[in-house]
Amino acid sequence: MNNIDLVYLDGKFLPAKDAKISPFDRGFIFGDGIYEVIPVFGGHGFRLAEHLQRLTNNLAAISISNPHTQDQWAGIINKLIDNVVTNFPDIIDQMVYIQITRGVAPRDHAFPGKIPPTVFAYADTAPVTKSEYTEHGVSAITCPDNRWQRCEIKATSLLANVLLRQQAAEANVTEAILIRDNFLTEGAASNIFIVKDKLIRTPPKSEQILPGITRDLLVELITKSKFTGEETMITEQELSDADEIWMTSSVKEILPVTLLNGNKVGNGLAGPVYKNILGKYRTYKQSLRDGAVT
Ligand code: PDD
């Protein structure tokens, strides 16, 4: 349950306890919907335009017409953010969750006729990235990527990701890093970067991975840094041989993976390239908190 008791549902702002969705909603029955998670730093949405563009792309990919213009979306999101800023002034960072499903219809897999989508959103406190994670890193395991072939869609039907993350949880590690046909794709809920001899690499965008907004920011920061970055396919062997492995997401930000399948990555500590790029990410985040960038 979220800490902040205001949600947006189908055109209305209301207390979470009053928000009701039909059990015949196709989101519930089929997982027929898409979602977004938008970090909010100091009351400012992180790459809001990019998140809204991904939302638009995802709706188009599953043939749901976008219920709102970008300005209307920004209005809804800002109202949820402002509610937190006004009522919970101690909360510095938040996240906004948005979910849109195809709507309520009698059960049939094929699309129903024209029906209104269900639109749900709320803001909550952002999970805090613990400094022990950024300093000492987290552990991960590799797993076969047994998801479907449209992983670029941020779909709410996340059962494969749920099972993979649970496999990681049961192995007492933070993330499952996925391998498809001998190549790294991404994490169960994150994108992955590797570093070898100071060269930073991440898999190119394709139907095999979610086009992460944090990933895109990192690619930009790397381009402006003294390091060379490449968006190229990475083999499982190259992943195992990497000097550094990083995972990125809106929720986890950038974390070093220092133990993979029980083996140390590099010297088993957060690497120098990670620390350098993390510094740039933190500078960016602070300027967003200060209202200087979007
Ligand atoms: N997940 N890949 C997958 C499969 C993800 O689920 C996520 C994020 C990412 C990173 O994308 P971004 O940087 O835009 O957050 C990559 C979100 C946070 C979630 O499901 O909660």
Side-chain angles (χ1 to χ4, degrees):
M1 198 54 202
N2 60 319
N3 297 317
I4 294 132
D5 192 34
L6 180 77
V7 304
Y8 174 86
L9 180 63
D10 296 336
K12 295 195 187 81
F13 291 91
L14 68 172
K17 67 177 174 30
D18 298 332
K20 302 278 186 284
I21 294 172
S22 164
F24 296 103
D25 193 284
R26 289 176 62 96
F28 182 60
I29 300 280
F30 294 119
D32 184 1
I34 56 101
Y35 73 107
E36 265 304 320
V37 179
I38 309 174
V40 179
F41 299 132
H44 304 281
F46 167 78
R47 304 236 137 170
L48 190 57
E50 287 82 353
H51 277 280
L52 289 177
Q53 186 57 53
R54 186 170 66 182
L55 182 89
T56 302
N57 297 347
N58 284 319
L59 286 169
I62 66 166
S63 305
I64 294 180
S65 32
N66 197 334
H68 300 301
T69 63
Q70 302 299 85
D71 282 353
Q72 286 169 337
W73 277 119
I76 293 164
I77 292 164
N78 285 327
K79 183 155 175 176
L80 292 168
I81 295 173
D82 288 348
N83 171 62
V84 178
V85 172
T86 310
N87 295 311
F88 304 88
D90 292 343
I91 294 175
I92 299 168
D93 296 332
Q94 317 170 34
M95 48 142 270
V96 170
Y97 178 86
I98 302 175
Q99 175 166 333
I100 300 152
T101 75
R102 199 174 305 281
V104 179
R107 188 176 182 282
D108 179 359
H109 288 63
F111 296 172
K114 210 174 155 33
I115 53 166
T118 302
V119 185
F120 173 59
Y122 68 91
D124 199 356
T125 47
V128 176
T129 305
K130 293 187 186 151
S131 58
E132 67 180 84
Y133 293 159
T134 49
E135 275 154 35
H136 301 290
V138 296
S139 306
I141 50 171
T142 49
C143 293
D145 191 343
N146 54 13
R147 301 172 302 161
W148 68 333
Q149 300 281 352
R150 297 297 308 277
C151 294
E152 85 284 13
I153 302 174
K154 203 164 169 61
T156 55
S157 29
L158 282 171
L159 188 54
N161 304 61
V162 166
L163 296 179
L164 287 161
R165 261 305 270 279
Q166 183 57 22
Q167 224 174 301
E170 284 170 17
N172 249 324
V173 302
T174 301
E175 184 59 303
I177 297 183
L178 309 180
I179 308 290
R180 198 192 283 266
D181 300 331
N182 198 36
F183 286 97
L184 162 70
T185 53
E186 59 180 340
S190 60
N191 292 113
I192 304 292
F193 288 70
I194 68 161
V195 181
K196 184 72 183 175
D197 299 330
K198 303 253 176 324
L199 173 68
I200 309 171
R201 293 168 65 198
T202 195
K205 287 185 191 170
S206 73
E207 293 186 349
Q208 311 286 325
I209 69 165
L210 187 84
I213 306 292
T214 324
R215 171 201 181 279
D216 284 354
L217 171 64
L218 237 64
V219 168
E220 270 179 50
L221 294 177
I222 292 163
T223 306
K224 290 186 210 143
S225 77
K226 63 180 178 187
F227 299 106
T228 306
E230 259 182 16
E231 295 177 65
T232 46
M233 301 281 280
I234 295 165
T235 64
E236 183 169 13
Q237 191 61 48
E238 287 171 324
L239 175 74
S240 311
D241 293 344
D243 299 331
E244 300 183 25
I245 301 175
W246 316 338
M247 55 183 279
T248 68
S249 85
S250 296
V251 178
K252 296 274 196 288
E253 304 192 290
I254 322 169
L255 290 181
V257 175
T258 48
L259 205 63
L260 182 68
N261 296 329
N263 302 314
K264 276 185 188 174
V265 178
N267 64 6
L269 295 168
V273 184
Y274 169 77
K275 285 185 186 156
N276 183 294
I277 299 296
L278 179 68
K280 293 183 191 314
Y281 172 82
R282 285 185 169 156
T283 305
Y284 178 91
K285 182 172 165 178
Q286 191 54 47
S287 47
L288 186 57
R289 280 192 182 133
D290 297 341
V293 295
T294 57

